[in-house]
Amino acid sequence: MYTLLSGLYKYLFQKDEYFVLILGLDNAGKTTYLEQTKTKFNRSYQGMNLSKITSTVGLNIGKIDLGKVRLNFWDLGGQEELQSLWDKYYAESHAVIYIVDSSDTERLEESKTAFDKMITNSSLCGVPLMLLANKQDLDGCVKVSDMKAIFSPSQELIGHRDLHVSGVSALKGDGVNEGIHWLVESIKKNSIQRPPTLKDIT
Ligand code: G3D
Ligand code: MG
């Protein structure tokens, strides 16, 4: 009886809460992506002027609800001196969104190095990974197929974890919905390994 009632309580009043890291070099478009995601998935969220976003020094947070799932995002600063803070969040995270500026070919290698360092960390073992080639709206940017080729040497480090690579424009919103839906399904699939916390619906 107790199990039945607690199951009903959970069904009616609680959500499964997950934490998602948004990582990548500074200027990749992480905060723009977070704002765009909040705007698309939170009906009540007014959204901020995307052209007014300034460089992230600490941490930006945001949340969206999709049915019985709540995703909490942590958008961390990507400057080199702030990258050392990333791993403090790994153990508690359920997925990583890694954003690359496809228009900045000069920093692609630097981005890949930071990516490799991140996925080598054992605290992220098995965690679903979304690799986004951002700024696809800009002429001359690296296309998704080329981005896949650039990151393919990392495949061994990625191992068997779920991976989704796609092109987006965080500024225009292209590709944002599809990515978030993939992420939710992947996080749910991985929830035996990384269970959610239960959050009262407010
Ligand atoms: P960060 O949080 O990763 O450091 P921001 O990156 O979200 O602050 O974005 C850095 C710059 O890239 C911003 O321009 C932002 O408007 C731009 N940007 C982000 N995503 C896109 C995109 O999809 N397309 C284009 N064209 N630009 C994008 P400013 O000029 O404010 O520095
Ligand atoms: Mg930022």
Side-chain angles (χ1 to χ4, degrees), residues 30-198:
K30 300 179 295 299
T31 306
T32 307
Y33 182 85
L34 174 61
E35 283 304 315
Q36 189 64 260
T37 302
K38 280 164 32 184
T39 306
K40 282 190 179 294
F41 286 89
N42 291 343
R43 239 173 283 155
S44 58
Y45 186 64
Q46 295 288 306
M48 66 186 288
N49 186 339
L50 295 182
S51 64
K52 295 257 170 1
I53 290 172
T54 52
S55 181
T56 305
V57 176
L59 161 79
N60 289 312
I61 53 170
K63 63 171 191 283
I64 61 170
D65 291 332
L66 295 109
K68 301 293 283 179
V69 169
R70 169 163 295 174
L71 295 186
N72 287 296
F73 296 97
W74 291 325
D75 158 30
L76 303 181
Q79 292 92 329
E80 204 176 350
E81 60 280 14
L82 298 176
Q83 288 174 24
S84 57
L85 300 176
W86 291 1
D87 61 7
K88 311 284 179 289
Y89 297 83
Y90 291 168
E92 283 176 73
S93 63
H94 296 89
V96 173
I97 301 174
Y98 193 85
I99 303 192
V100 185
D101 180 347
S102 319
S103 71
D104 191 354
T105 46
E106 278 181 17
R107 295 187 77 197
L108 274 182
E109 201 49 49
E110 183 189 346
S111 180
K112 191 181 165 303
T113 304
F115 175 86
D116 285 350
K117 184 164 181 227
M118 180 262 305
I119 48 166
T120 309
N121 192 300
S122 59
S123 302
L124 283 178
C125 187
V127 162
L129 198 58
M130 189 153 78
L131 176 62
L132 298 180
N134 189 30
K135 308 197 185 180
Q136 287 295 309
D137 56 290
L138 292 177
D139 286 341
C141 71
V142 175
K143 299 285 166 240
V144 187
S145 53
D146 294 329
M147 198 62 88
K148 282 184 181 166
I150 291 166
F151 278 79
S152 72
S154 306
Q155 190 56 55
E156 208 174 313
L157 298 172
I158 293 166
H160 293 297
R161 72 191 100 192
D162 252 3
L163 171 71
H164 179 71
V165 186
S166 74
V168 292
S169 168
L171 195 62
K172 299 202 181 305
D174 301 337
V176 171
N177 281 353
E178 298 86 325
I180 295 294
H181 287 297
W182 177 87
L183 197 71
V184 171
E185 290 314 310
S186 192
I187 286 174
K188 285 202 271 189
K189 252 189 348 201
N190 198 47
S191 64
I192 307 278
Q193 282 73 32
R194 296 232 174 185
T197 49
L198 285 174

